[in-house]
Amino acid sequence: MQDVSVDVVTIGAGGGAYPAAFRLARSGRQVVMTDPKGVMSGNCLAEGCVPSKAVREVAQLYRRVRGGARMGLHGQLSAEYSGALAHKSWVQELRYRQHAEELEALEPRLRLITGVARLVDSHTALVEGPQGSWRISARSVIVASGSDITVPKLPGAELCITSRDLFALTPQVRSVPDTLLVIGAGYIGLEAAGILQTFGAQVEVLEMEDQILPGMDPDFAALLAANLDPQITVRLGSKVRSVEATPEGRRVTYLRDGKVNTAEAQQVLLAVGRHPVLPTGLAEAGVEVEAGRPRVNHSLQTSVPHIYAPGDVNGRSMLFHSAVRQSLVAADCIAAGDRAVDHFDFGAVPTTIFTFPEAAYVGLLRGEAHLRGIPVEEAAYSFEEDSRAQILGEMSGELRLFFAPGSLRLLGGWVVGVDAAQLIGEIGTAVAAGLTAHQLARFPDQHPMAQEGVGKAARRLV
Ligand code: ADP
């Protein structure tokens, strides 16, 4: 057992951990990160956002070129899934190399120990890994152990594939099934459905709730549902009861409208969500856990002020960019001697569903405003009138902004359609900065880009 004493130890080296580790090491502190992966970036780069978007981007290019006959694009076009996977792995490896160089530049002030960490008290972590064991004492602790794929207690769950099997560095699934059933119409299920359908699979999605994207704004979800590629069949109100193996693949039994139905496919993708992963020893460290998550304040402090829990582990906003900002908030507070000097705004995190078309939102939307009795004034812009959407020939969907009546301060917005993932960044910045419709209306948004919709929508109110 090696004994190490540092200023800060992180449990995990993903988006919730390494931004803080780097900021604190750069400001002269001794920092140790721990992660069984032995590399930084957590599940995002290992099997999540980056690899899935690399494959998705190939699918997007293919769709655009395939639909380009009116633009004079002809010829023998085919989409090789193996090529898309090779591209994905190239991006992953490139980023791992860059991260390794970034880490090397800060060693030995910042170190990454490969292994699983557990807490034995509020200042001490024990790490077991292939290179041995460590006892790490630290003044402050960052618990950023992230999340994992939820596998429900469903007979036959082990017969299903998951997003890990699609997007890991060495994915289990290397070819596109002819037919695919997706369990769950959340963002992971819908994104995978869109990608694999583009590469040739016939896809059906089963969702037990009565809307896609359960938990998200119902009108936003309905708008995406109306604009989704109709080649993907989505069955709502369909609760899967079991999965069985057949000679050809899989049979899924599900309950819909009180009736038992079956559906068959070569493969079944289980995409029912992700859940926080907690390290052992939170109780020994005195950290309070509620509903399987460490409770945190807006400075990401747990019930023990020098122990922080940024990122997926707190279950409040399970997105990589959210984890990064939460991590930096924790770093600021640690640098200030564990005082709550910085805060995270859980209400203004842009979220994108990378379907075809993309759908994205940020801040307060119609449904939550109604539920909380908050009046909002809406301004919409249809992509039918948008020059970029017309240039791309992708004119479905809309951009919609929600303002506080009177002040016309921007509270939130959604975009379903062209460039939604990019647009929501600008809208989110405006929400975070508290900009008003008057200010948005006076900004010269670029032409001929879809950003024009932001100013145009705002000008409808002023
Ligand atoms: P986030 O974006 O919130 O940081 P991720 O899930 O991407 O979340 O990353 C969390 C990382 O934490 C993963 O790489 C995982 O391997 C690591 N991890 C989980 N449990 C432990 C543990 N007990 N000790 C060290 N690392 C852990």
Side-chain angles (χ1 to χ4, degrees):
M1 173 88 67
Q2 300 182 49
D3 276 299
V4 186
S5 182
V6 289
D7 295 302
V8 183
V9 64
T10 74
I11 298 185
Y18 80 82
F22 272 73
R23 177 171 284 186
L24 291 163
R26 286 198 179 108
S27 68
R29 277 133 181 120
Q30 296 288 332
V31 183
V32 164
M33 295 185 283
T34 64
D35 198 307
K37 290 188 174 69
V39 286
M40 293 190 304
S41 256
N43 292 312
C44 164
L45 185 51
E47 58 186 54
C49 2
V50 169
S52 61
K53 259 81 272 173
V55 180
R56 193 251 177 206
E57 211 54 46
V58 179
Q60 172 78 82
L61 283 171
Y62 177 59
R63 292 173 78 95
R64 286 207 163 136
V65 177
R66 192 179 58 181
R70 199 171 35 83
M71 305 172 186
L73 298 170
H74 303 291
Q76 292 281 320
L77 183 70
S78 63
E80 251 175 55
Y81 191 62
S82 59
L85 290 185
H87 173 62
K88 167 201 78 62
S89 302
W90 175 81
V91 176
Q92 284 169 299
E93 277 162 3
L94 171 65
R95 294 189 67 75
Y96 279 130
R97 273 200 306 281
Q98 288 174 337
H99 286 321
E101 285 165 16
E102 287 159 12
L103 184 57
E104 221 178 279
L106 276 179
E107 275 168 351
R109 224 178 313 139
L110 174 62
R111 289 175 61 195
L112 171 57
I113 292 180
T114 304
V116 176
R118 67 188 162 92
L119 288 168
V120 285
D121 62 48
S122 77
H123 285 285
T124 316
L126 291 189
V127 188
E128 301 286 342
Q131 278 105 44
S133 4
W134 282 262
R135 176 191 300 275
I136 303 171
S137 331
R139 196 172 54 79
S140 305
V141 179
I142 295 179
V143 176
S145 40
S147 63
D148 201 357
I149 297 165
T150 300
V151 178
K153 284 196 186 72
L154 178 75
E158 71 286 353
L159 299 169
C160 302
I161 58 168
T162 66
S163 56
R164 177 170 302 141
D165 300 317
L166 294 174
F167 303 124
L169 192 54
T170 312
Q172 294 294 312
V173 179
R174 308 194 133 263
S175 59
V176 178
D178 294 336
T179 48
L180 176 75
L181 274 165
V182 178
I183 306 178
Y187 75 97
I188 295 176
L190 289 180
E191 288 181 10
I195 291 169
L196 291 168
Q197 189 271 327
T198 302
F199 280 102
Q202 198 185 311
V203 182
E204 191 173 320
V205 183
L206 300 173
E207 167 55 56
M208 71 177 185
E209 302 291 339
D210 56 11
Q211 70 164 64
I212 64 164
L213 303 175
M216 295 188 191
D217 184 281
D219 293 341
F220 166 77
L223 187 63
L224 175 60
N227 284 285
L228 264 190
D229 190 326
Q231 302 225 50
I232 296 174
T233 308
V234 181
R235 291 192 205 288
L236 300 175
S238 303
K239 189 168 168 48
V240 173
R241 297 212 310 196
S242 64
V243 181
E244 298 157 76
T246 65
E248 293 78 33
R250 306 283 181 255
R251 180 185 302 120
V252 171
T253 305
Y254 63 98
L255 211 55
R256 186 168 193 236
D257 295 331
K259 289 197 202 80
V260 176
N261 297 271
T262 58
E264 301 208 355
Q266 243 175 34
Q267 268 171 355
V268 179
L269 173 73
L270 191 62
V272 300
R274 298 184 64 87
H275 61 276
V277 171
L278 272 47
T280 307
L282 287 179
E284 285 76 357
V287 173
E288 282 171 26
V289 173
E290 262 173 26
R293 301 134 191 230
R295 187 165 46 80
V296 288
N297 63 16
H298 279 72
S299 298
L300 285 313
Q301 287 171 305
T302 63
S303 53
V304 181
H306 69 269
I307 303 183
Y308 299 76
D312 284 10
V313 70
N314 65 49
R316 292 185 62 179
S317 168
M318 294 167 80
L319 297 163
F320 184 81
H321 46 284
S322 187
V324 169
R325 172 64 193 139
Q326 292 178 42
S327 186
L328 294 172
V329 168
D332 288 343
C333 298
I334 290 171
D338 295 313
R339 285 183 306 117
V341 294
D342 198 2
H343 304 93
F344 181 66
D345 182 359
F346 283 96
V349 182
T351 301
T352 297
I353 301 97
F354 287 88
T355 36
F356 300 108
E358 292 165 9
Y361 67 89
V362 67
L364 186 72
L365 307 183
R366 189 190 287 151
E368 194 190 337
H370 283 182
L371 272 180
R372 291 168 55 192
I374 302 172
V376 286
E377 202 153 329
E378 297 185 18
Y381 169 79
S382 163
F383 284 127
E384 270 178 23
E385 60 174 286
D386 183 71
S387 46
R388 174 154 165 87
Q390 291 162 355
I391 289 165
L392 287 170
E394 295 171 14
M395 287 141 58
S396 66
E398 67 167 33
L399 176 158
R400 187 172 291 268
L401 304 178
F402 301 91
F403 295 94
S407 69
L408 292 186
R409 195 163 71 82
L410 184 64
L411 302 175
W414 72 47
V415 187
V416 175
V418 67
D419 296 342
Q422 295 285 351
L423 288 169
I424 211 64
E426 177 173 332
I427 297 169
T429 308
V431 170
L435 298 187
T436 65
H438 305 278
Q439 290 164 312
L440 293 173
R442 289 205 297 263
F443 184 71
D445 288 292
Q446 278 198 91
H447 179 70
M449 305 307 287
Q451 283 100 312
E452 283 181 296
V454 177
K456 281 194 177 171
R459 285 197 285 280
R460 291 192 173 136
L461 296 184
V462 299

